[in-house]
């Protein structure tokens, strides 16, 4: 049931925002919910604690939590069930290992005139007229770009990479990083 709720949760992401808002306001969302509300609000640890007192068995049942990067006490049970559902038909790995993914992406980027740098620490994101237009590397080199994507997280990007004027007000006053949260990100990429 939890795995079905996990799959159904993607429907809410695909529907237009106004339609989801309408479904929530009218209460019609309950017909599409399929347990989402229940399973998204209970942790994996709560479920395994309700099943057994055996710590070793709980560890076996929770073993896959590393795939989504959240401890069993913080991870929604629905996320765990969805991850297990994913593996139910078997797991697959790229021929040559996971590094092949990065190699192929790098090849596609350079083929189209881009540049890939590894082990290059970014010191700043260059902003002009409210738009990111490049980066400054630790070695002092500035690299201009049509697009800048930061994977440093909102706290580190806002507090350490962009000019203070572009730091959101709810982060500007914080001296410590924001609390971490469970996240799920699926990316489907076609590389020629």
């Amino acid at each position: 049931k939890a795995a079905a709720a996990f799959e159904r949760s993607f429907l809410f992401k695909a529907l237009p925002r106004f339609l989801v808002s309408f479904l929530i306001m009218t209460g019609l969302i309950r017909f599409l919910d399929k347990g989402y509300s229940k399973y998204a609000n209970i942790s994996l640890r709560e479920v395994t604690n309700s099943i057994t007192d055996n710590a070793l068995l709980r560890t076996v049942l929770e073993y896959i939590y590393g795939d989504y990067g959240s401890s069993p006490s913080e991870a929604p049970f629905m996320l765990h069930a969805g991850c297990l559902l994913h593996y139910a038909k078997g797991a697959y790995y790229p021929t040559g290992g996971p590094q092949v993914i990065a190699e192929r992406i790098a090849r596609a980027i350079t083929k189209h005139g881009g540049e890939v740098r590894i082990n290059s620490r970014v010191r700043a994101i260059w902003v002009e007229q409210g738009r990111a237009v490049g980066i400054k590397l630790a070695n002092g080199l500035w690299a201009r770009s049509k697009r800048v994507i930061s994977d440093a997280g909102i706290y580190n990007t806002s507090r350490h990479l962009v000019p203070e004027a572009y730091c959101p007000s709810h982060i500007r006053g914080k001296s410590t990083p924001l609390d971490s949260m469970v996240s799920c990100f699926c990316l489907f990429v076609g590389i020629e």
Side-chain angles (χ1 to χ4, degrees):
K1 290 179 182 179
F6 179 76
E7 286 182 327
R8 183 58 60 103
S9 70
F10 288 101
L11 171 67
F12 300 134
K13 298 295 183 187
L15 292 174
R17 181 179 279 172
F18 78 88
L19 182 55
V20 173
S21 297
F22 172 77
L23 292 171
I24 291 170
M25 288 181 352
T26 61
L28 294 173
I29 195 91
R30 70 181 179 275
F31 295 110
L32 299 173
D33 188 288
K34 298 292 185 196
Y36 175 85
S37 300
K38 176 182 177 183
Y39 296 114
N41 293 311
I42 186 169
S43 74
L44 170 59
R45 179 57 51 85
E46 288 174 279
V47 171
T48 57
N49 281 345
S50 73
I51 294 170
T52 183
D53 291 329
N54 184 317
L56 182 58
L57 179 56
R58 279 197 309 264
T59 300
V60 170
L61 294 172
E62 297 169 348
Y63 82 96
I64 207 166
Y65 78 89
D67 280 17
Y68 44 81
S70 210
S71 70
S73 62
E74 296 175 332
F77 177 65
M78 182 182 71
L79 180 61
H80 184 77
C83 200
L84 287 175
L85 179 69
H86 165 74
Y87 284 113
K89 296 176 185 170
Y92 302 92
Y93 299 92
T95 302
Q99 73 275 6
V100 170
I101 297 170
E103 291 167 1
R104 298 272 168 84
I105 291 171
R107 189 182 311 155
I109 290 169
T110 55
K111 177 182 171 183
H112 291 88
E115 187 176 342
V116 176
R117 294 175 183 258
I118 58 171
N119 298 322
S120 299
R121 188 174 181 95
V122 174
R123 290 285 181 211
I125 295 176
W126 181 3
V127 178
E128 286 181 356
Q129 299 175 356
R131 186 176 181 279
V133 296
I135 57 170
K136 180 180 182 181
L137 299 176
N139 65 6
L141 178 70
W142 285 93
R144 197 166 184 85
S145 177
K146 289 181 184 175
R147 292 175 186 84
V148 175
I149 300 170
S150 173
D151 73 343
I154 188 169
Y155 179 83
N156 288 321
T157 300
S158 299
R159 294 279 296 176
H160 304 295
L161 296 176
V162 298
E164 189 174 342
Y166 298 102
C167 180
S169 59
H170 69 282
I171 292 174
R172 194 174 296 140
K174 284 196 167 278
S175 59
T176 58
L178 306 171
D179 293 335
S180 62
M181 298 174 63
V182 175
S183 62
C184 181
F185 181 75
C186 294
L187 178 65
F188 299 92
V189 179
I191 302 171
E192 292 182 10

